[in-house]
Amino acid sequence: MERYYQKEIECAPVEELKAMQNAKLVKQVKHVYEHVPYYRDLMDKKGVKPEDIKSTADIYKLPFISKADLRDAYPYGLLAVPLSECVRIQSTSGTTGRRVVAFYTQHDIDLWEECCARAIVAAGGTKDDVCQVAYGYGLFTGGPGLNGGSHKVGCLTLPMSSGNTERQIQFMRDLGSTILCCTPSYAAYIGETLKDMGLTPNDIKLKAGIFGAEPWTEAMRKDIEASLGIKAYDIYGLTETSGPGVSFECSEQTGMHINEDHFYAEIIDPDTGEVLPEGEKGELVFTSLDKEAFPLLRYRTRDICVLNRKKCSCGRTLIKMSKPMGRSDDMLIIRGVNVFPSQIETVLLEQGYTPNYRIELDRVNNTDTFDVYVEMSQEQFSDTVKDITLKEKELASALKTMLGINPKMHLVAPKTITRSEGKAVRVIDRRKLHD
Ligand code: ADP
Ligand code: ZN
C-alpha cells in the first residue's frame, strides 16, 4: 500500500494545487521585488511590476535568473530577509564552476526537510526504519537534507557521510540499515565493495535506496538494485532551490513528482527562452514559491528533461519530471556531434560492462580526440589479448551506432578507474586548455 508523508498535498486535486501556486506566486513576487534590489532592477529593466503577476499564467513576463546572476550577486546580493533571520547556509558542489551559496531561515529548513521526508516515505520509509545517510555532510546539501528528512519521518538516522566504504557496510550490518541515501555512483561502489568483502545482499537488511545529485541511467539502476538487493529511487534537487527533495520518485519509478506546493516548474527552449508545452523536452526552470531567505524566480537549472501530468499509479497528483538527461553544459560537443556521458553509460551497461569509465577529450592538429576507458570485470580480464582487442572493437562499434562518432576504446584492468564517493567525475576535457 502506498504511503504518503503529506497526503493532503501529495494527492490534492490538481485545481487545488494550481490555485495554491497562484496565490503563493503573487505573494512571492511581491516579497522579492520589495526586498531584493538585484531582482527589482531586473524586473524594472523588463518593465514588469509585481501587480502584473496575477497567476502562474503571467510568469513568462518575469526575467530569468541564471547561475551567472548568482555568482554576480555572491554572497548576499539575492538575500530577501535580514541576515539575522537566517540560520544556515549551504553551497553547491561547484561541479561546473565557482560555488554558489544559498541561505535558509528556520522555515526554509523545515520545508526542505519535509520535501525530503516525502521522498523517504515514498520509498517505503517509516519510523521503524534505519536510514543510513551516506551523502556528504557539510556545505553540500545531500547529507543535511536527507538527514533532516529522515528525522522528520522518525527513522533511526545514521549520519555516516560519504567515504570509508567498508565501515559503511559494517554499520549497515551491525545496525540493520534498511534505507540507504547517497549518490548513485557511490551506491554502485558500495555494492561492489559488498561483493569484494565476500558478502551478498542476504547479509544486509537494506530494502530501498534514495539516490540522486547526479545523472544516472536505468541500466545503472538495475545494476545497483541487484548488487544491494533493493529498490532504488531517484531524488532530484539543487542547492539554489534548497537541495534534494525538489522532486522524488514513487513506487512507479517512471519519473519524479515535483513538490509543486513549493516549486513551480517550467520547461523552456534553452536557446530562445520560450516556454514549451507540457511533454516537450527542454531546460527546467524553477520558481520557489515558499522560500523566505533565498527565493529564486524563474531560475534556469540547465538540466534538460520533460514534464508530464499523466495519472500516476501511486495516487500522487504532483506533476512528474523525467530523469534529467544531463545538464545542458554536461553535453560534450565532439567533432561537431552532441554527446551526453549518459548515452555512453547506457551502452556500456547494456554490453555487460561496469559503470566504471572515463572519457578523455583532447585536441590534436585541430581535431578532437575521443578516448573512452572502461574497466573490465575480473572474468573479462582473464581473456586473451586477442579477445580483449576484439571486445574493444565491438564496444567502439556499439558506441558509434549510438553516438554517430567513433571513440578510441581502451579496456583497462579491474579496479584501475577511481571510484566516486560523491558526484562522479567521468569526463576529462583537455581541449579547454588549448582555447
Ligand atoms: P552543482 O551544480 O555544483 O553540482 P548541486 O550540488 O546543487 O550543485 O547540484 C545540483 C545539480 O545536480 C542539479 O542541477 C542537477 O544537474 C544534478 N542533479 C541533482 N539530482 C539529480 C538527479 N536525480 N538526476 C540527475 N541530475 C541530478
Ligand atoms: Zn507516482
Side-chain angles (χ1 to χ4, degrees):
M1 196 194 65
E2 192 80 26
R3 281 198 218 88
Y4 315 94
Y5 182 68
Q6 285 164 316
K7 184 167 186 209
E8 66 293 355
I9 301 279
E10 294 172 59
C11 303
V14 173
E15 287 318 307
E16 228 171 79
L17 281 172
K18 289 191 169 166
M20 191 190 289
Q21 290 188 318
N22 290 339
K24 286 185 179 188
L25 178 69
V26 170
K27 213 171 132 213
Q28 187 69 297
V29 172
K30 201 162 166 280
H31 169 62
V32 166
Y33 191 82
E34 283 170 6
H35 297 103
V36 189
Y38 192 97
Y39 263 114
R40 198 181 311 134
D41 285 352
L42 288 178
M43 284 174 61
D44 287 348
K45 269 195 207 118
K46 241 190 147 213
V48 50
K49 292 272 171 275
E51 310 76 87
D52 299 329
I53 310 299
K54 297 191 178 68
S55 74
T56 56
D58 296 320
I59 203 164
Y60 71 94
K61 296 176 186 164
L62 292 172
F64 289 115
I65 191 133
S66 68
K67 205 135 179 160
D69 291 303
L70 302 198
R71 289 179 182 143
D72 237 21
Y74 176 92
Y76 300 124
L78 290 168
L79 197 59
V81 298
L83 198 54
S84 59
E85 298 301 309
C86 297
V87 298
R88 174 97 65 85
I89 77 155
Q90 303 281 169
S91 156
T92 58
S93 323
T95 310
T96 57
R98 191 163 118 193
R99 283 173 183 264
V100 163
V101 289
F103 299 83
Y104 304 72
T105 62
Q106 186 56 49
H107 156 96
D108 296 336
I109 296 274
D110 284 335
L111 294 184
W112 174 27
E113 292 180 352
E114 276 173 17
C115 288
C116 291
R118 290 179 193 174
I120 293 172
V121 173
T126 69
K127 65 187 282 296
D128 297 322
D129 279 293
V130 180
C131 181
Q132 180 158 345
V133 183
Y135 280 108
Y137 279 65
L139 285 171
F140 174 53
T141 53
L146 270 308
N147 189 91
S150 174
H151 276 240
K152 287 244 188 289
V153 176
C155 304
L156 175 63
T157 310
L158 265 57
M160 297 294 291
S161 197
S162 59
N164 208 335
T165 310
E166 293 202 357
R167 192 183 64 184
Q168 299 271 2
I169 292 171
Q170 193 61 50
F171 264 79
M172 204 175 266
R173 298 186 73 200
D174 294 348
L175 295 160
S177 307
T178 50
I179 298 177
L180 173 67
C181 306
C182 61
T183 59
S185 53
Y186 193 41
Y189 183 25
I190 294 177
E192 184 185 355
T193 309
L194 185 77
K195 192 171 168 207
D196 290 347
M197 288 166 76
L199 300 170
T200 73
N202 292 331
D203 297 305
I204 53 174
K205 294 215 174 98
L206 281 189
K207 61 176 187 189
I210 303 175
F211 307 131
E214 62 181 356
W216 52 312
T217 55
E218 284 302 325
M220 179 110 162
R221 180 193 326 250
K222 287 204 192 80
D223 244 39
I224 297 173
E225 289 188 329
S227 72
L228 291 170
I230 59 172
K231 196 159 167 175
Y233 297 83
D234 203 351
I235 184 169
Y236 168 92
L238 56 164
T239 313
E240 292 86 338
T241 55
S242 55
V246 169
S247 64
F248 61 97
E249 238 175 13
C250 61
S251 51
E252 210 184 81
Q253 291 180 307
T254 53
M256 295 175 274
H257 289 287
I258 296 176
N259 283 313
E260 285 184 281
D261 51 335
H262 302 314
F263 306 102
Y264 180 74
E266 302 169 82
I267 292 285
I268 62 159
D269 177 328
D271 298 323
T272 63
E274 187 199 344
V275 180
L276 298 177
E278 197 187 299
E280 280 192 34
K281 185 166 103 179
E283 180 179 347
L284 190 55
V285 171
F286 280 116
T287 295
S288 35
L289 299 170
D290 279 307
K291 287 204 57 188
E292 292 177 343
F294 198 70
L296 296 185
L297 306 180
R298 302 198 89 199
Y299 178 65
R300 293 186 60 158
T301 63
R302 300 182 293 176
D303 293 323
I304 303 294
C305 73
V306 179
L307 296 179
N308 85 72
R309 206 185 278 282
K310 285 190 209 112
K311 199 168 159 38
C312 188
S313 61
C314 76
R316 287 179 184 79
T317 47
L318 302 169
I319 200 164
K320 284 206 283 198
M321 59 181 266
S322 65
K323 264 181 176 307
M325 294 145 200
R327 309 185 198 206
S328 50
D329 47 6
D330 261 354
M331 190 182 77
L332 304 166
I333 304 180
I334 310 172
R335 293 176 214 140
V337 177
N338 299 347
V339 173
F340 279 100
S342 58
Q343 297 175 297
I344 297 178
E345 183 176 304
T346 304
V347 172
L348 295 182
L349 289 161
E350 273 170 10
Q351 304 277 326
Y353 291 89
T354 63
N356 299 307
Y357 63 97
R358 190 174 67 240
I359 301 161
E360 291 194 15
L361 303 169
D362 206 340
R363 190 165 294 145
V364 177
N365 299 331
N366 288 323
T367 304
D368 292 338
T369 60
F370 174 24
D371 291 79
V372 181
Y373 295 81
V374 180
E375 205 177 276
M376 286 177 281
S377 65
Q378 207 58 51
E379 300 85 67
Q380 291 161 334
F381 189 49
S382 57
D383 286 351
T384 61
V385 173
K386 199 169 125 234
D387 287 340
I388 291 176
T389 313
L390 187 67
K391 282 209 180 97
E392 284 177 339
K393 280 214 181 100
E394 281 170 4
L395 206 46
S397 131
L399 283 169
K400 167 99 199 278
T401 308
M402 167 71 112
L403 309 171
I405 51 167
N406 229 330
K408 189 155 195 276
M409 283 305 312
H410 309 263
L411 287 175
V412 299
K415 316 270 179 218
T416 47
I417 298 217
T418 317
R419 301 293 188 267
S420 153
E421 294 172 350
K423 299 197 190 213
V425 179
R426 293 195 163 113
V427 181
I428 299 176
D429 193 346
R430 297 197 189 84
R431 295 177 301 180
K432 290 177 190 139
L433 301 175
H434 312 305
D435 289 341

